[in-house]
Amino acid sequence: MTETWQIDTDVLVIGGGPAACWAAIHARAAGAEVILVDKGYCGTSGATAPAGTGVWYVAPDPAARAQAKAGREALGGYLADHYWMDRVLDQTYANMSRLATEGRYPFPVDPGTGRQIRTGVQGPEYMRRMRAWVRRAGVRILDHSPALELLVDADGVVRGAAGYRRQADGDYRIAAGAVVLASGGCAFLSRALGTNVDTGDGALMAAEVGASFSGMEFSNAYAIVPKGATVTKTAYYGYATFFHEDGRVLEGAGSTKGRSVIARTLLHEKVFAQLDRADATVRAQMRLGQPNFFLQFDRRGIDPFTDRFEVHLLAEGTVRGTGGIDVIDDECATTVPGLYAAGDAATRERICGGFTGGGSHNSAWAMSSGTWAGGGAARFALRSGRPAVTDLRGAGRTGLRPDGTAGVRPADVLAAAQRELIPFEKNYLRHGDRIRPALASLDTLWHTASEALCADSGAERVRAREAAAITAVGRLMYRSALARTETRGMSKRADHPDLDPAQHHHILSGGLDEVWTATAPARHSALTVAS
């Protein structure tokens, strides 16, 4: 390995998806020098880059906005905040206009009105344009440079990050006036398309400096996929009929509770699907809107509209869930000075409550929270100045600095964590009698990893930190799930099947060796008004 490469900047953005790009652009616009480090190649890594996605884009019409906000309120357990929903709708509307002009995104045009259709984007083109825009803005991009730990000063203020440059096979340390964590969510390395970089690294680093989390119980998203495939597009299965292994129709599988029906059935038999409810027009639109969804069928010689195919459920964790690092002000600052959070790394409860926002809400949140976090970090950095690299210490521990004698390999920790987090009978079909043993195993695993998880090379240190991050996210998730003894939003408890009005609050969490939970009141919700 070469010597550690050191540099300083005003704002360091960690991540390479839409939230990171919007953060970098707005930090630069606020007058800050910006460096962006991405685990992969900015513009191609992450869940957005390989897929088409809707965007929560609503014209500033009061009736349309009210309808948009009401759409998921009940699904989310009345935990969404109308103040934040209004902010996101306004910011998204403005950002999509900027994407069309400054970002040069080629939105399709409605032949009837001549207006651009801005309710969705094609991920590959969107992120290609965002990377080009980031570079034009003067941001320095370091690709294939995963951040491994945050750097803090003597007062505990976050002042940069250290990581590994894959292509140079060397370490780096970047001192910064402020840091934006936009590193994505955590899908537990389930192989869902685009999520192999989404291993909860940002959550681990945030927890190590003492940040709080919110809504981690709402981190159990699962997507319907063809058996053995990785492309998740659950919305398309709204046109499907599902079948038992013997050919009988699986009743209830196409309803709003359909995934629960499918999950319970998969425990004892195979499930099949056919997209037989889509007419010719819809079929053409589906192929145009999400071409990679159909590659998995075309390569197998399957026509999903006329043939039945076996399906399974794939974990998406916090990537499509709503839990994440808590944000405490309009600039998406965290509870730790100098640290800001955006995109899937941050909680999306503010606009989704306890139910997944899917692609559209998450896309809107990414560009909006990225905008606010980037601007906020720039203002903080320009006020506080840049520290010297030599005045900072690394906050990372598990997977970097074992407490005891090293001897546990990353692959072993990862496999053990996945056994508790990926099976839907534990994480999706939740019951306290299953969650408690899973959490106990993760607690034991964490303490073992803290003492002995080690790595012999730069690439292995990346794997070690991924394994530690997935374990840490799982512990926050299950501890929060046990603290919510009701069914609300995505967190459905078989042992507590009803919604409890007394638990109309947010679950906060944090910690590493000892994970804590607390409650915070829900604000600006329809349920509060109704009460």
Side-chain angles (χ1 to χ4, degrees):
M1 293 177 62
T2 60
E3 285 187 21
T4 299
W5 181 68
Q6 300 187 106
I7 194 171
D8 61 35
T9 188
D10 294 321
V11 173
L12 173 63
V13 178
I14 299 175
C21 289
W22 284 102
I25 288 168
H26 281 84
R28 190 76 186 94
E33 182 179 293
V34 183
I35 294 177
L36 181 152
V37 295
D38 189 14
K39 192 175 185 178
Y41 182 87
C42 175
T44 66
S45 64
T48 296
T53 181
V55 177
W56 202 37
Y57 175 87
V58 184
D61 171 72
R65 291 279 177 92
Q67 183 178 4
K69 290 190 294 180
R72 289 177 182 260
E73 195 131 49
L75 281 173
Y78 300 99
L79 292 176
D81 187 325
H82 281 248
Y83 171 74
W84 281 84
M85 285 192 282
D86 288 335
R87 293 187 71 219
V88 167
L89 286 168
D90 285 342
Q91 191 66 61
T92 301
Y93 191 80
N95 281 15
M96 290 292 274
S97 178
R98 291 191 66 192
L99 179 61
T101 52
E102 297 169 71
R104 306 171 187 175
Y105 184 85
F107 286 103
V109 175
D110 186 328
T113 64
R115 296 177 180 173
Q116 289 185 336
I117 302 171
R118 297 179 179 174
T119 54
V121 290
Q122 286 293 337
E125 187 65 17
Y126 175 33
M127 293 313 303
R128 184 175 77 87
R129 301 278 175 162
M130 290 302 295
R131 179 187 175 92
W133 190 4
V134 167
R135 294 187 67 185
R136 286 197 304 273
V139 174
R140 182 171 188 172
I141 300 175
L142 300 180
D143 296 306
H144 305 294
S145 300
L148 297 178
E149 64 177 333
L150 294 175
L151 302 178
V152 297
D153 65 17
D155 297 320
V157 179
V158 173
R159 295 292 198 178
Y164 172 67
R165 301 168 70 198
R166 295 180 191 271
Q167 293 169 319
D169 189 23
D171 293 337
Y172 67 81
R173 284 171 64 90
I174 301 175
V179 174
V180 178
L181 275 177
S183 51
C186 181
F188 315 124
L189 281 176
S190 68
R191 296 178 62 248
L193 183 67
T195 66
N196 274 13
V197 294
D198 295 325
T199 52
D201 308 343
L204 174 62
M205 290 188 282
E208 287 174 329
V209 296
S212 296
F213 295 76
S214 183
M216 291 302 288
E217 71 273 30
F218 306 124
S219 303
N220 57 329
Y222 282 76
I224 303 170
V225 294
K227 182 69 179 292
T230 63
V231 182
T232 60
K233 194 65 178 175
T234 301
Y236 278 11
Y237 291 94
Y239 295 98
T241 300
F242 295 89
F243 301 90
H244 288 277
E245 196 169 354
D246 62 9
R248 292 177 294 119
V249 172
L250 180 57
E251 299 295 342
S255 67
T256 56
K257 299 180 180 179
R259 263 170 282 187
S260 297
V261 174
I262 293 169
R264 286 192 292 270
T265 306
L266 282 170
L267 293 175
H268 52 81
E269 65 172 298
K270 296 178 181 179
V271 174
F272 293 82
Q274 181 181 337
L275 306 180
D276 52 3
R277 296 167 56 202
D279 60 27
T281 300
V282 171
R283 293 179 186 186
Q285 292 172 340
M286 291 167 73
R287 279 196 172 272
L288 184 63
Q290 191 79 20
N292 62 1
F293 175 83
F294 294 94
L295 286 176
Q296 58 196 340
F297 297 110
D298 295 342
R299 289 169 175 167
R300 301 179 188 186
I302 296 172
D303 183 341
F305 300 112
T306 60
D307 301 333
R308 296 178 186 177
F309 53 92
E310 189 177 353
V311 296
H312 204 67
L313 295 177
L314 202 58
E316 294 181 306
T318 68
V319 173
R320 279 195 186 267
T322 65
I325 304 166
D326 196 22
V327 293
I328 61 172
D329 65 15
D330 287 1
E331 294 184 326
C332 291
T334 71
T335 53
V336 180
L339 183 64
Y340 296 75
D344 291 350
T347 179
R348 278 132 290 156
E349 286 178 295
R350 302 292 184 270
I351 64 168
C352 300
F355 190 82
T356 177
S360 63
H361 288 63
N362 286 5
S363 294
W365 173 253
M367 64 175 64
S368 298
S369 61
T371 295
W372 303 325
R379 287 182 283 274
F380 183 96
L382 294 175
R383 287 194 307 268
S384 60
R386 303 183 189 182
V389 177
T390 53
D391 293 338
L392 306 178
R393 64 173 179 84
R397 194 189 79 194
T398 303
L400 290 178
R401 302 175 181 93
D403 291 341
T405 302
V408 176
R409 309 308 303 179
D412 297 329
V413 175
L414 173 62
Q418 287 179 317
R419 284 195 294 270
E420 306 304 331
L421 295 167
I422 287 182
F424 54 79
E425 59 268 30
K426 294 183 181 182
N427 194 8
Y428 187 57
L429 301 175
R430 287 179 169 175
H431 190 290
D433 291 346
R434 292 188 289 273
I435 298 175
R436 280 185 287 271
L439 177 58
S441 295
L442 290 173
D443 286 342
T444 299
L445 179 64
W446 174 261
H447 293 295
T448 299
S450 297
E451 292 179 358
L453 179 58
C454 64
D456 299 326
S457 66
E460 275 291 284
R461 279 186 295 132
V462 175
R463 298 288 175 255
R465 291 295 274 173
E466 289 177 343
I470 288 170
T471 305
V473 169
R475 295 173 71 227
L476 290 166
M477 179 181 69
Y478 279 151
R479 192 79 67 189
S480 298
L482 288 172
R484 188 174 289 286
T485 53
E486 61 164 352
T487 287
R488 187 183 296 268
M490 297 169 64
S491 186
K492 299 176 174 62
R493 294 279 300 270
D495 49 340
H496 298 283
D498 300 320
L499 185 145
D500 178 8
Q503 297 188 50
H504 179 231
H505 51 231
H506 299 289
I507 302 291
L508 304 181
S509 58
L512 288 168
D513 290 338
E514 297 295 331
V515 176
W516 56 265
T517 61
T519 62
R523 301 183 179 90
H524 302 290
S525 75
L527 184 60
T528 301
V529 175
S531 298

